[in-house]
Amino acid sequence: MRAVVLVGGFGTRLRPLTFTTPKPMLPVGHRPIIENLVSMLAVAGIDEVVLALGFKPEPFRAAFPDGECAGVRLHYAVEPEPLDTGGAIRFAADHAGIDETFVVVNGDVLTDLDVAKLVDFHRARGAEATIHLTPVDDPSAYGVVELDGQGRVSRFVEKPAPGTAPTNLINAGTYVFEPSVLGRIPTGRKVSIERETFPQLVADGSLYAMSTSDYWIDTGRPDTYRKANFDVLDGIRKSLRCDAVHGGAVVADRVDLRHSMVSAGASVGPNVTLTESIVLPGAVIESGAVVSGSIVMGRIGADAVVTDCVIGADGSVDSGSERRNELVPDPATVTGR
Ligand code: GDD
Ligand code: MG
């Protein structure tokens, strides 16, 4: 069976990190998110993944030059312009010639869902489309789903205003589709699968959903991206383990590491204190810096104090300075990306 993985979004909420690295290529547990995700699909017997690419396709080709990821064959479908989630699924599936039941996954979701179970559920109900659901505390940032007693979706509301969501069950971003779903998606324009296609399937009574309590996280915001990493470090995500410091990182003596992670290709100088932070490939943190609650891809000068910041690859914090709650560089001032 084949799967389409949506990896072409701009990753706006993770700027400035995503100015240089597309969201699914950011590491979680020292492995790109996309590799985590393709491994989950491999377990379910998926033998080809169609990458629905748009924004920044090159880093994917560079990371998987022989067209294989986690033992699964990759097919690259690059949109000429962003087509939104539904348009991207249609474009990628047409590009790869998909004409059988297939799986779709949002490329920023990490879950321990057994995808084969979702496929079985879909087949047992003779559904046209089936989506995976997970319960969350605040559903307003997601697609919210109401069910009837048989697992059929009676309502799908994308990102309802806070306090108005009918349930706390949300679209967890993994779907099983019959090829007939593709015929519902118009070509040549942006189509949101959530706002346009799902409500249409609901109206026809052919959208089903399976809720599970498996580990699940959307890595698309700085706080959830950090949490996804800590969940691996802390063993909360049972299917994956990792060390705090990757063997390929350069970490000096007398570094005080408090619930933080350092990636391969990062460099941390002596007497640095890292608290609740993620240090990504290419980052340089000079001696004596105090970094907490932050994600760092760029440079932090000696003795700087950085709190609750996201430092992109082009970001630089001067020695001895103090930054709090900032994006560096500030995406609002960066043009031409
Ligand atoms: N190829 C392509 N083209 N991919 C796209 C495009 C596009 O135009 N737009 C978005 N994507 C990809 C993103 O890269 C991401 O992997 C996926 O589609 C979902 O987009 P997000 O921007 O992450 O959406 P979201 O998190 O706000 O909401 C979605 O996910 C939630 C679960 O995490 C929706 O599906 C919600 O209904 C759902 O609850
Ligand atoms: Mg998302």
Coordinates of all heavy atoms in Angstrom, one line a residue, residues 123-184:
R123 N -11.8 -0.5 6.2 CA -12.3 -1.6 5.3 C -13.5 -2.2 6.0 O -14.5 -2.5 5.2 CB -11.2 -2.7 5.1 CG -10.1 -2.1 4.3 CD -9.5 -3.2 3.4 NE -8.8 -2.5 2.3 CZ -7.4 -2.6 2.1 NH1 -6.7 -3.2 3.0 NH2 -6.9 -2.0 1.1
A124 N -13.5 -2.5 7.3 CA -14.6 -3.1 7.9 C -15.9 -2.3 7.8 O -17.0 -2.9 7.8 CB -14.3 -3.4 9.4
R125 N -15.8 -1.0 7.7 CA -17.0 -0.1 7.6 C -17.3 0.2 6.2 O -18.3 0.9 5.9 CB -16.8 1.1 8.4 CG -17.1 0.8 9.9 CD -16.5 1.7 10.8 NE -16.7 1.2 12.2 CZ -16.0 0.2 12.7 NH1 -15.0 -0.4 12.0 NH2 -16.2 -0.2 14.0
G126 N -16.5 -0.2 5.2 CA -16.8 0.2 3.8 C -16.7 1.7 3.6 O -17.5 2.2 2.9
A127 N -15.9 2.3 4.4 CA -15.8 3.8 4.3 C -15.2 4.3 3.0 O -14.4 3.6 2.4 CB -15.0 4.3 5.5
E128 N -15.5 5.5 2.7 CA -14.8 6.2 1.6 C -13.5 6.8 2.1 O -12.5 6.9 1.4 CB -15.7 7.2 0.9 CG -15.0 7.8 -0.3 CD -16.0 8.8 -1.1 OE1 -17.2 8.9 -0.7 OE2 -15.5 9.4 -2.1
A129 N -13.6 7.4 3.3 CA -12.5 8.0 4.0 C -12.6 7.8 5.5 O -13.7 7.8 6.0 CB -12.5 9.5 3.7
T130 N -11.4 7.6 6.1 CA -11.4 7.4 7.6 C -10.3 8.2 8.1 O -9.2 8.2 7.6 CB -11.2 5.9 7.9 OG1 -12.2 5.1 7.3 CG2 -11.2 5.6 9.4
I131 N -10.6 8.9 9.2 CA -9.5 9.7 9.8 C -9.2 9.2 11.3 O -10.1 8.7 12.0 CB -9.9 11.2 9.8 CG1 -11.1 11.5 10.6 CG2 -10.1 11.7 8.4 CD1 -11.5 13.0 10.5
H132 N -8.0 9.4 11.7 CA -7.6 9.1 13.0 C -7.9 10.2 13.9 O -7.6 11.4 13.6 CB -6.1 8.7 13.0 CG -5.5 8.5 14.4 ND1 -4.3 9.1 14.8 CD2 -6.0 7.9 15.5 CE1 -4.0 8.7 16.0 NE2 -5.0 8.0 16.5
L133 N -8.4 10.0 15.1 CA -8.7 11.0 16.1 C -8.0 10.8 17.4 O -7.6 9.7 17.7 CB -10.2 11.0 16.4 CG -11.3 11.0 15.3 CD1 -12.7 11.0 16.0 CD2 -11.1 12.3 14.5
T134 N -7.7 12.0 18.0 CA -7.1 11.9 19.3 C -7.7 13.0 20.2 O -8.1 14.0 19.7 CB -5.5 12.1 19.2 OG1 -4.9 11.8 20.4 CG2 -5.2 13.5 18.9
P135 N -7.9 12.7 21.5 CA -8.4 13.7 22.4 C -7.4 14.7 22.8 O -6.2 14.4 23.0 CB -8.9 12.9 23.6 CG -8.1 11.7 23.6 CD -7.6 11.4 22.2
V136 N -7.7 16.0 22.9 CA -6.8 17.1 23.3 C -7.5 18.0 24.3 O -8.7 18.1 24.3 CB -6.2 17.9 22.2 CG1 -5.3 17.1 21.3 CG2 -7.3 18.6 21.4
D137 N -6.7 18.7 25.1 CA -7.3 19.7 26.1 C -8.0 20.9 25.4 O -9.1 21.3 25.7 CB -6.3 20.1 27.1 CG -5.8 19.0 28.0 OD1 -6.6 18.0 28.1 OD2 -4.7 19.0 28.5
D138 N -7.2 21.5 24.4 CA -7.8 22.6 23.7 C -7.9 22.3 22.3 O -6.9 22.4 21.5 CB -6.9 23.9 23.9 CG -7.4 25.1 23.1 OD1 -8.5 25.0 22.6 OD2 -6.6 26.0 22.9
P139 N -9.1 22.0 21.8 CA -9.3 21.6 20.4 C -9.3 22.7 19.4 O -9.3 22.5 18.2 CB -10.7 20.8 20.4 CG -11.3 21.2 21.7 CD -10.3 21.9 22.6
S140 N -9.3 24.0 19.9 CA -9.5 25.1 19.0 C -8.4 25.3 17.9 O -8.7 25.9 16.9 CB -9.7 26.4 19.7 OG -8.5 26.7 20.4
A141 N -7.3 24.7 18.1 CA -6.2 24.8 17.1 C -6.2 23.7 16.1 O -5.3 23.6 15.2 CB -4.8 24.8 17.8
Y142 N -7.2 22.9 16.1 CA -7.3 21.7 15.3 C -8.6 21.5 14.5 O -9.5 22.3 14.6 CB -7.0 20.4 16.1 CG -5.8 20.5 16.9 CD1 -5.8 20.8 18.3 CD2 -4.5 20.2 16.3 CE1 -4.6 20.9 19.0 CE2 -3.4 20.2 17.1 CZ -3.4 20.6 18.4 OH -2.2 20.6 19.1
G143 N -8.7 20.4 13.8 CA -10.0 20.1 13.2 C -10.8 19.3 14.2 O -10.3 18.2 14.7
V144 N -12.0 19.7 14.5 CA -12.8 19.1 15.6 C -13.9 18.2 15.0 O -14.5 18.6 14.0 CB -13.4 20.1 16.6 CG1 -14.1 19.4 17.7 CG2 -12.2 21.0 17.1
V145 N -14.1 17.0 15.6 CA -14.9 16.0 15.0 C -16.0 15.6 15.9 O -15.8 15.4 17.1 CB -14.1 14.8 14.6 CG1 -14.9 13.6 14.1 CG2 -13.1 15.2 13.4
E146 N -17.2 15.5 15.4 CA -18.4 15.0 16.2 C -18.8 13.6 15.5 O -18.8 13.6 14.3 CB -19.5 15.9 16.0 CG -20.4 16.1 17.3 CD -21.4 17.3 17.0 OE1 -22.2 17.1 16.2 OE2 -21.2 18.3 17.7
L147 N -19.0 12.6 16.3 CA -19.3 11.3 15.8 C -20.8 10.8 16.1 O -21.3 11.3 17.1 CB -18.4 10.2 16.4 CG -16.9 10.3 16.2 CD1 -16.2 9.3 17.1 CD2 -16.6 10.1 14.7
D148 N -21.3 9.9 15.2 CA -22.5 9.3 15.6 C -22.1 8.0 16.3 O -20.9 7.7 16.5 CB -23.5 9.1 14.4 CG -23.0 8.0 13.5 OD1 -22.0 7.3 13.8 OD2 -23.6 7.8 12.4
G149 N -23.0 7.1 16.7 CA -22.7 5.9 17.5 C -21.9 4.9 16.7 O -21.2 4.1 17.3
Q150 N -21.9 4.9 15.4 CA -21.2 3.9 14.6 C -19.8 4.3 14.1 O -19.3 3.6 13.2 CB -22.1 3.6 13.3 CG -23.2 2.6 13.6 CD -24.3 3.2 14.4 OE1 -24.8 4.3 14.1 NE2 -24.7 2.6 15.5
G151 N -19.3 5.3 14.6 CA -17.9 5.7 14.1 C -18.0 6.6 12.9 O -17.0 6.8 12.2
R152 N -19.2 7.0 12.5 CA -19.4 7.9 11.4 C -19.3 9.4 11.8 O -19.8 9.7 12.9 CB -20.8 7.7 10.7 CG -20.9 8.1 9.3 CD -22.3 8.2 8.8 NE -23.0 6.9 8.9 CZ -23.4 6.2 7.8 NH1 -23.1 6.6 6.6 NH2 -24.1 5.1 8.0
V153 N -18.6 10.2 11.0 CA -18.4 11.6 11.4 C -19.7 12.4 11.0 O -20.2 12.3 9.9 CB -17.2 12.2 10.7 CG1 -17.1 13.7 11.0 CG2 -15.9 11.5 11.0
S154 N -20.3 13.0 12.1 CA -21.5 13.8 11.8 C -21.2 15.3 11.6 O -22.0 16.0 11.1 CB -22.6 13.6 12.9 OG -22.0 13.7 14.1
R155 N -20.0 15.7 12.0 CA -19.6 17.1 11.8 C -18.1 17.2 11.9 O -17.4 16.6 12.7 CB -20.2 17.9 13.0 CG -20.6 19.3 12.6 CD -21.3 20.0 13.7 NE -20.9 21.4 13.8 CZ -20.9 22.1 14.9 NH1 -21.4 21.6 16.0 NH2 -20.5 23.3 14.9
F156 N -17.5 18.1 11.0 CA -16.1 18.4 11.0 C -15.9 19.9 11.0 O -16.4 20.5 10.0 CB -15.4 17.7 9.8 CG -13.9 17.8 9.9 CD1 -13.1 16.7 10.2 CD2 -13.3 19.0 9.6 CE1 -11.7 16.8 10.3 CE2 -11.9 19.1 9.7 CZ -11.1 18.0 10.0
V157 N -15.4 20.4 12.0 CA -15.2 21.9 12.0 C -13.7 22.2 12.2 O -13.1 21.9 13.2 CB -15.9 22.6 13.2 CG1 -16.1 24.1 12.9 CG2 -17.1 21.9 13.6
E158 N -13.1 22.8 11.2 CA -11.6 23.2 11.2 C -11.5 24.4 12.1 O -12.0 25.4 11.8 CB -11.1 23.3 9.8 CG -9.6 23.6 9.8 CD -8.7 22.5 10.2 OE1 -9.2 21.3 10.4 OE2 -7.5 22.7 10.4
K159 N -10.6 24.3 13.1 CA -10.2 25.4 14.0 C -11.4 26.3 14.4 O -11.5 27.4 14.1 CB -9.1 26.2 13.3 CG -8.0 25.3 12.9 CD -6.6 26.0 12.7 CE -5.6 25.0 12.5 NZ -5.2 24.7 11.1
P160 N -12.3 25.7 15.2 CA -13.4 26.5 15.7 C -12.9 27.6 16.7 O -11.9 27.4 17.3 CB -14.3 25.4 16.5 CG -13.3 24.4 16.8 CD -12.3 24.3 15.8
A161 N -13.7 28.6 16.9 CA -13.3 29.7 17.8 C -13.2 29.1 19.2 O -14.0 28.1 19.6 CB -14.4 30.8 17.8
P162 N -12.2 29.5 20.0 CA -12.0 28.9 21.3 C -13.3 28.9 22.1 O -14.1 29.9 22.1 CB -11.0 29.9 22.0 CG -10.2 30.5 20.9 CD -11.2 30.6 19.7
G163 N -13.6 27.8 22.8 CA -14.8 27.6 23.6 C -16.0 27.2 22.8 O -17.0 26.9 23.4
T164 N -15.9 27.1 21.5 CA -17.1 26.7 20.7 C -17.0 25.2 20.2 O -18.0 24.8 19.5 CB -17.3 27.6 19.5 OG1 -16.2 27.4 18.6 CG2 -17.4 29.1 19.9
A165 N -15.9 24.5 20.4 CA -15.7 23.2 19.9 C -16.8 22.2 20.5 O -17.0 22.2 21.7 CB -14.3 22.7 20.2
P166 N -17.4 21.4 19.6 CA -18.5 20.5 20.1 C -17.9 19.4 20.9 O -18.7 18.8 21.7 CB -19.2 20.1 18.8 CG -18.2 20.3 17.7 CD -17.3 21.4 18.2
T167 N -16.7 18.9 20.7 CA -16.1 17.8 21.4 C -14.6 18.1 21.6 O -14.1 19.1 21.1 CB -16.1 16.5 20.7 OG1 -15.2 16.6 19.5 CG2 -17.5 16.2 20.1
N168 N -13.8 17.3 22.4 CA -12.4 17.4 22.4 C -11.7 16.4 21.6 O -10.5 16.2 21.7 CB -11.9 17.4 23.9 CG -12.0 16.0 24.5 OD1 -12.8 15.2 24.0 ND2 -11.1 15.7 25.4
L169 N -12.4 15.8 20.7 CA -11.8 14.8 19.7 C -11.4 15.6 18.5 O -12.2 16.2 17.8 CB -12.8 13.7 19.3 CG -13.0 12.6 20.3 CD1 -14.0 11.6 19.7 CD2 -11.7 11.9 20.7
I170 N -10.1 15.4 18.1 CA -9.6 16.2 17.0 C -9.0 15.3 15.9 O -8.6 14.1 16.2 CB -8.6 17.2 17.4 CG1 -7.3 16.6 18.0 CG2 -9.2 18.3 18.3 CD1 -6.1 17.0 17.4
N171 N -9.0 15.8 14.7 CA -8.4 15.2 13.6 C -6.9 15.1 13.9 O -6.2 16.1 14.0 CB -8.7 16.0 12.3 CG -7.8 15.6 11.1 OD1 -7.3 14.5 11.1 ND2 -7.6 16.6 10.2
A172 N -6.4 13.8 13.9 CA -5.0 13.6 14.3 C -4.1 13.6 13.1 O -2.9 13.3 13.2 CB -4.9 12.4 15.1
G173 N -4.6 13.8 11.9 CA -3.8 14.0 10.7 C -3.3 12.7 10.0 O -2.4 12.8 9.2
T174 N -3.9 11.5 10.3 CA -3.6 10.3 9.5 C -4.9 9.9 8.9 O -5.9 9.7 9.7 CB -3.0 9.2 10.4 OG1 -1.8 9.7 11.0 CG2 -2.6 8.0 9.5
Y175 N -5.0 9.6 7.6 CA -6.2 9.3 6.9 C -6.0 8.0 6.1 O -4.9 7.7 5.6 CB -6.7 10.4 6.0 CG -6.5 11.8 6.4 CD1 -5.9 12.8 5.6 CD2 -6.9 12.2 7.7 CE1 -5.8 14.1 6.1 CE2 -6.8 13.5 8.2 CZ -6.2 14.4 7.3 OH -6.0 15.7 7.8
V176 N -7.2 7.3 5.9 CA -7.2 6.2 4.8 C -8.2 6.7 3.8 O -9.4 7.0 4.2 CB -7.6 4.9 5.4 CG1 -7.5 3.8 4.3 CG2 -6.6 4.5 6.6
F177 N -7.9 6.7 2.6 CA -8.8 7.2 1.5 C -9.0 6.1 0.4 O -8.0 5.5 0.0 CB -8.2 8.4 0.8 CG -8.3 9.7 1.5 CD1 -7.7 10.9 1.0 CD2 -8.9 9.8 2.8 CE1 -7.7 12.1 1.7 CE2 -9.0 11.1 3.4 CZ -8.4 12.2 2.9
E178 N -10.2 6.1 -0.1 CA -10.4 5.4 -1.3 C -10.0 6.3 -2.5 O -10.1 7.5 -2.3 CB -11.9 5.0 -1.5 CG -12.4 3.9 -0.5 CD -11.5 2.6 -0.6 OE1 -11.3 2.1 -1.7 OE2 -10.9 2.2 0.4
P179 N -9.7 5.8 -3.6 CA -9.3 6.7 -4.7 C -10.4 7.7 -5.1 O -10.1 8.8 -5.6 CB -8.9 5.8 -5.9 CG -9.1 4.4 -5.4 CD -9.4 4.4 -4.0
S180 N -11.7 7.3 -4.8 CA -12.8 8.2 -5.2 C -12.7 9.5 -4.5 O -13.3 10.5 -5.0 CB -14.1 7.5 -4.9 OG -14.2 7.2 -3.5
V181 N -12.0 9.6 -3.4 CA -11.9 10.9 -2.7 C -11.2 11.9 -3.6 O -11.5 13.1 -3.6 CB -11.1 10.7 -1.3 CG1 -10.8 12.1 -0.7 CG2 -11.9 9.8 -0.4
L182 N -10.2 11.4 -4.4 CA -9.5 12.3 -5.3 C -10.4 13.0 -6.3 O -10.2 14.2 -6.6 CB -8.4 11.5 -6.1 CG -7.3 10.8 -5.2 CD1 -6.5 9.9 -6.0 CD2 -6.5 11.8 -4.5
G183 N -11.4 12.3 -6.7 CA -12.4 12.9 -7.7 C -13.2 14.0 -7.0 O -13.8 14.8 -7.8
R184 N -13.2 14.1 -5.7 CA -13.9 15.2 -5.0 C -13.1 16.4 -4.9 O -13.6 17.5 -4.4 CB -14.3 14.7 -3.6 CG -15.3 13.6 -3.5 CD -15.5 13.2 -2.1 NE -16.5 12.2 -1.9 CZ -17.8 12.4 -1.7 NH1 -18.2 13.7 -1.6 NH2 -18.6 11.4 -1.5

